[in-house]
Amino acid sequence: MADAFRRGRAFLVGDAARAVTPLGAFGLNTGVADAHNLAWKLAMVPAGQAADRLLDSYHQGRHAVAELVTRQALLRWENPRMHWDPTAVAERRAAGAWNAPMVTMGYRYASSAVIDPVVELPSTEDLTVSLDGAPGSRLPHRWPAGGTVSTLDLNRSRFAVPAGATGEDWRGAARAVAATLGMDLDAVVLDEQVASSLNLANDEALLVRPDGFIAWRTRGTADPARLEQVLAAVTGRQGRPAPSQVGCSRADRPSVIRAEPAVVAGAADVEVQELGQRGAAVPEAQQVDVDECQPVFGGEAAGGLGEDA
């Protein structure tokens, strides 16, 4: 496995980043998930909607998942029954193995692109139980009452704000923030049954990333300023917000980094050492100091936190 999945404008994806034993077919699934994690970030940064540090979150998130998947694949290589036998729950638990659907869809991210993540899994066997609406987890499929569109399609490859049954005010908050930040953002009011299945109170809301992972859960009513602050933190425009943080005014915020990232995918024989040598010759993006207006929490300035774990 490569030590780094990003070096400057180069990104390692799929087999270029790691080798996975074949039992379980985790290699292909993980490679596709790499691209899924990276694509929206590569789109937002050059468009000026996110800072360069959002791209750092690709390594921070996917490297941790790659370590998990590699370990899970090796456990199955040693004892294939843990993969093929759905009743081998006790064996998997004793060995530290997860049920296969959990390996490909049940992992969670914990990073600057997720606010207050809930890392601990409710189950390593039951995907339905684990997709519970917690920050850092994948938004689960639900059919809203009277609708023909799954919750998986509500964000349409952009940020979205699913709100509880009485969260109509989140629509206005999302429109206001979209206008301020120049982003495509919309809120969708869920019916009570779907909201309850996501552990979402009627006036609460989630912020869902373009890749379908939950970036934030509010525990209060609609608040445009707070939503703007959270989006700025998730996209790397400023540090992670704290509940008591006032935040910087828009006039004080530093300019957005505009980068021209490039993807390196494939060529599984590219070694980390070789990548490092190439990296020295790869021009870095023209960067603006993003630390001029850092929020403060716990008495210290908040720097860019790592992405997904």
Side-chain angles (χ1 to χ4, degrees):
M1 185 183 303
D3 290 335
F5 287 4
R6 180 194 184 188
R7 186 66 57 84
R9 296 174 63 235
F11 298 81
L12 296 182
V13 174
D15 289 348
R18 101 270 306 148
V20 181
T21 51
L23 184 57
F26 295 149
L28 175 60
N29 282 286
T30 306
V32 171
D34 286 344
H36 191 226
N37 179 281
L38 181 58
W40 65 277
K41 300 170 185 178
L42 286 174
M44 290 190 71
V45 173
Q49 295 181 333
D52 182 80
R53 76 171 98 179
L54 177 63
L55 295 175
D56 289 336
S57 71
Y58 169 67
H59 163 79
Q60 295 155 357
R62 295 306 303 169
H63 195 274
V65 172
E67 289 179 330
L68 166 70
V69 170
T70 300
R71 184 169 62 252
Q72 292 296 319
L74 285 173
L75 288 172
R76 285 160 168 77
W77 193 254
E78 295 167 357
N79 183 0
R81 182 172 177 271
M82 290 194 297
H83 181 75
W84 299 115
D85 187 352
T87 67
V89 176
E91 285 185 61
R92 285 193 290 269
R93 183 182 299 113
W98 294 12
N99 200 7
M102 288 294 301
V103 178
T104 55
M105 300 192 65
Y107 55 82
R108 295 183 175 188
Y109 293 142
S111 69
S112 62
V114 179
I115 307 301
D116 298 330
V118 179
V119 179
E120 185 175 353
L121 292 172
S123 171
T124 59
E125 286 289 327
D126 191 336
L127 182 63
T128 303
V129 171
S130 292
L131 298 184
D132 59 359
S137 67
R138 195 184 303 265
L139 184 70
H141 159 70
R142 299 287 188 273
W143 288 117
T148 59
V149 177
S150 166
T151 51
L152 299 180
D153 298 317
L154 293 179
N155 63 333
R156 294 183 295 169
S157 300
R158 60 191 167 96
F159 281 99
V161 181
T166 60
E168 189 66 33
D169 289 346
W170 282 105
R171 292 184 185 272
R175 286 193 293 268
V177 172
T180 300
L181 297 182
M183 297 174 62
D184 187 6
L185 177 69
D186 194 18
V188 179
V189 177
L190 304 173
D191 63 85
E192 190 170 353
Q193 182 176 358
V194 171
S196 177
S197 73
L198 299 175
N199 296 309
L200 198 62
N202 283 340
D203 58 352
E204 296 176 347
L206 304 173
L207 176 65
V208 179
R209 305 187 328 186
D211 60 358
F213 280 82
I214 298 168
W216 176 60
R217 173 197 294 278
T218 174
R219 288 301 184 187
T221 56
D223 183 347
R226 178 66 172 167
L227 179 58
E228 180 184 348
Q229 188 181 70
V230 166
L231 265 169
V234 169
T235 56
R237 294 184 179 189
Q238 67 181 42
R240 184 181 228 162
S244 61
Q245 177 192 327
V246 175
C248 306
S249 69
R250 284 191 54 79
D252 292 335
R253 288 185 189 143
S255 301
V256 174
I257 293 173
R258 295 184 181 274
E260 296 180 5
V263 178
V264 176
D269 58 343
V270 175
E271 296 181 354
V272 179
Q273 183 179 4
E274 183 182 356
L275 174 62
Q277 293 170 349
R278 293 180 182 177
V282 174
E284 294 288 344
Q286 294 297 317
Q287 298 188 6
V288 178
D289 183 7
V290 296
D291 293 321
E292 295 172 357
C293 182
Q294 290 288 0
V296 175
F297 65 99
E300 296 181 358
L305 305 181
E307 210 254 45
D308 320 319

